[in-house]
Amino acid sequence: MCNLNIYAVKIPSSLSKKDFSDFIDYIPSHRQDKIRKYVRQEDAIRSLFGQLLLQAVIQKECHILRDDLIFSRNKYGKPYIYNLKDYHFNISHSGEYVVCVTHNHPVGIDIEYIKPVSLEIAQQYFSKEEYNLIIGQSKKSQISFFYDFWTLKESFIKAIGKGLYIPLNSFAFSITEEKEYILKINPYPDRFFFKQYDINPGYKLSVCAKSLYFPQEVNEINYKNLIPNLLYKK
């Protein structure tokens, strides 16, 4: 049985041609082709380190080599590993972070860089109660609360495995006095639990799982350790 584990990598903003070549050589050729098609290097780097993080995590937890992994997607586009039963993962990236959660039941994770945003988005896509909670905060706290709800909602629809096929206002969260978020309106029979982590003041990170037993901390990995040391030489 796989414990609920959460991993994060702070990725570089840029890579030299040699370093990029060293890292990308360590992922399957079909993924290399896709990553090389990105126009912006920062997008290529996020995708590259998402793949590297996933490979490192699976090898650590399941003792299976990257060349033996068979990736597939459900009809909504959520990736899974065809030849690993009862092993679930989810990845998210934003800004300078790539994060991953794994468990033996469906899980979801979302990280967002906190930047200015129009609260009309919350009015349009959140429940009325959630929107009222956000605008009821001080001006300084409204954006922070918006990203609390946004990452929680994203982690939930990613755990369900249907992505944005589920309208964000079809379910809703309430908040306790201890600032714990509870799924108040749940369109599914399963029970889900949520936890938020502070890995950087400029980001919001939320995780959704069918387990109460969340790790206390995020396991942060140096990006240079995602491939064998012999492949990374300064």
Side-chain angles (χ1 to χ4, degrees), residues 140-168:
K140 185 178 180 181
S141 300
Q142 286 178 355
I143 297 300
S144 178
F145 265 72
F146 169 86
Y147 281 104
D148 281 331
F149 282 112
W150 184 268
T151 56
L152 287 162
K153 283 177 171 287
E154 285 283 333
S155 72
F156 177 67
I157 63 176
K158 293 173 77 175
I160 294 295
K162 294 185 178 181
L164 291 175
Y165 284 90
I166 305 174
L168 292 180

Side-chain angles (χ1 to χ4, degrees), residues 133 145 149 173-183:
L133 276 171
F145 265 72
F149 282 112
F173 289 88
S174 62
I175 183 172
T176 67
E177 292 182 358
E178 294 77 24
K179 208 194 171 193
E180 293 179 348
Y181 290 88
I182 308 297
L183 189 58

